Amino acid sequence: MKIFISGMIPESGIEMLKKEGCEVEVWSGKQLSEKELIDKCKDADGYINVMTPVTANFLKQSSHLKVISTFSVGFNHIDLSTATQLGIPVGNTPDVLSNATADVAFLLMLNVSRKAFYNYSKIRTGNWNQGFDAVSHLGQELNGKTLGIFGMGRIGIKMAEKCKGAYGMNIIYHNRNRHEQAEKELGAVYVSFDELLKQSDILSLHAPLSDDNKGLFNKHVFEKMKPNAILVNTARGAMVNEEDLVEALKNQQIWGAGLDVTDPEPIPKDHPLLTMESVAITPHIGSATVEARNAMSDLCAKNILAGLKGEKLPCVVNPEVYK
Ligand code: DGY
């Protein structure tokens, strides 16, 4: 069986596939175009996708694929309905990256609250002009603040646990469904979207990108937030209107923003967000720990091996394919 992988991934999953007799090709160049991808997958039985768009056209031209696994928990880059129509099961890598991603949300929150990246860049560029300064570099404390979670899923609850444990924060959340565990164990309170905006000192985004939330965090939303609020996004950049975010920060409608995801990625070098005082940006490193990435690699291999055998994938995102 032939497996094509559209980017470098940790060896452990590749080894697992090889042990089962698969022939594996790993692409190590720059991101492939749709045409190149179709060509690469023309003899493949399985495909591990590393954040490359999986379009309807690609799927139609590659309908021989027995299985696809994305090296991510998010699957907004995959045309799932076409995959399902063509009978191709698609897998992803949930759970194993939740802790690592929540760590980055926490890191961004704390970083922004103390303007850490901004102050560090002042040192690096030779602009730390006065030793101890009693009236500048001032941040805000996090103890007892209210954390609002938009999307209380596997990653959202980890962020809530960390914030409750470290700072005794009050947790509120907005989600499609109520989250019993969060309510019982963390005392999290379900609120409407407007209440979430109104009450959150830190608003952390953890929902999957959808048509409903694309661009949702725009000027109308920022207007409803607290002036001391910090927006944290480790989900998908497209949920936030970055032009409106710049304006909201300039006008002090909100206090700061910590972003692990931007739209586009990479963010342009001259983007105004990069020089703002209470902004911290990291390059989509939510799941970038050795532990999480190894586990993602293994999970991709398990998805692929199950798909090749015609078994249900351990983590399938289009279960309708089995109906
Ligand atoms: C995910 O797993 O969805 C992360 O954002 C990495 O792409």
Side-chain angles (χ1 to χ4, degrees):
M1 294 283 186
K2 289 187 179 165
I3 312 301
F4 180 67
I5 308 181
S6 67
M8 309 262 281
I9 65 170
E11 274 301 312
S12 57
I14 299 174
E15 285 307 314
M16 213 186 272
L17 292 168
K18 286 185 179 163
K19 249 195 207 145
E20 293 294 319
C22 296
E23 198 182 301
V24 182
E25 185 187 352
V26 183
W27 178 250
S28 60
K30 65 177 177 35
Q31 187 170 311
L32 293 165
S33 66
E34 185 190 79
K35 194 164 162 286
E36 290 165 331
L37 202 57
I38 292 169
D39 192 49
K40 285 286 177 193
C41 285
K42 79 174 182 294
D43 302 319
D45 301 286
Y47 168 40
I48 295 181
N49 168 269
V50 189
M51 296 309 277
T52 311
V54 178
T55 60
N57 185 40
F58 163 79
L59 288 162
K60 284 177 191 154
Q61 308 282 329
S62 313
S63 58
H64 56 277
L65 284 171
K66 295 187 176 65
V67 55
I68 296 175
S69 180
T70 179
F71 188 85
S72 61
V73 65
F75 46 87
N76 54 290
H77 55 294
I78 300 177
D79 189 324
L80 263 199
S81 62
T82 305
T84 306
Q85 272 165 30
L86 295 168
I88 306 174
V90 179
N92 72 339
T93 62
D95 292 319
V96 295
L97 47 62
S98 301
N99 207 32
T101 307
D103 273 346
V104 171
F106 191 91
L107 168 112
L108 288 168
M109 170 187 72
L110 185 53
N111 194 318
V112 171
S113 76
R114 300 303 294 270
K115 307 181 180 179
F117 278 4
Y118 176 75
N119 284 318
Y120 178 57
S121 77
K122 276 176 45 181
I123 299 172
R124 288 195 59 212
T125 52
N127 290 308
W128 183 14
N129 296 324
Q130 190 181 324
F132 173 77
D133 182 339
V135 291
S136 63
H137 309 137
L138 302 189
Q140 54 167 318
E141 299 197 13
L142 298 169
N143 276 314
K145 294 270 167 85
T146 295
L147 170 72
I149 298 278
F150 178 75
M152 185 66 96
R154 299 178 189 95
I155 302 172
I157 193 165
K158 290 274 178 216
M159 172 65 167
E161 282 169 4
K162 288 174 202 291
C163 292
K164 183 96 187 169
Y167 295 113
M169 287 190 186
N170 309 308
I171 315 293
I172 57 175
Y173 75 102
H174 183 74
N175 203 37
R176 265 174 313 190
N177 305 306
R178 297 285 285 265
H179 198 294
E180 259 182 54
Q181 187 197 344
E183 294 188 13
K184 221 158 113 190
E185 291 174 12
L186 303 172
V189 176
Y190 176 87
V191 292
S192 68
F193 185 58
D194 270 13
E195 277 304 315
L196 187 81
L197 303 176
K198 216 163 101 187
Q199 292 182 33
S200 298
D201 298 303
I202 292 93
L203 176 56
S204 195
L205 313 188
H206 298 285
L209 180 66
S210 68
D211 289 342
D212 293 338
N213 63 33
K214 205 170 191 173
L216 176 64
F217 294 85
N218 60 17
K219 60 180 174 199
H220 306 296
V221 156
F222 300 135
E223 271 163 18
K224 295 181 185 166
M225 289 173 67
K226 287 182 166 180
N228 71 304
I230 295 173
L231 176 76
V232 175
N233 189 7
T234 52
R236 285 290 180 267
M239 278 186 210
V240 175
N241 180 320
E242 283 165 8
E243 261 177 51
D244 289 0
L245 177 61
V246 170
E247 287 310 303
L249 289 163
K250 275 191 194 155
N251 302 335
Q252 299 176 347
Q253 262 165 347
I254 68 169
W255 197 80
L259 311 174
D260 184 50
V261 287
T262 58
D263 186 24
E265 289 176 3
I267 189 169
K269 273 194 267 196
D270 56 352
H271 199 289
L273 284 171
L274 291 171
T275 50
M276 295 181 109
E277 199 164 326
S278 44
V279 173
I281 304 190
T282 47
H284 203 147
I285 56 165
S287 63
T289 62
V290 173
E291 293 87 346
R293 291 281 164 88
N294 282 343
M296 289 165 75
S297 180
D298 294 352
L299 207 39
C300 278
K302 286 179 190 162
N303 281 333
I304 294 290
L305 290 171
L308 294 180
K309 289 182 197 146
E311 292 168 2
K312 189 166 178 198
L313 313 192
C315 301
V316 64
V317 292
N318 59 343
E320 320 77 72
V321 78
Y322 298 115
K323 285 190 186 142

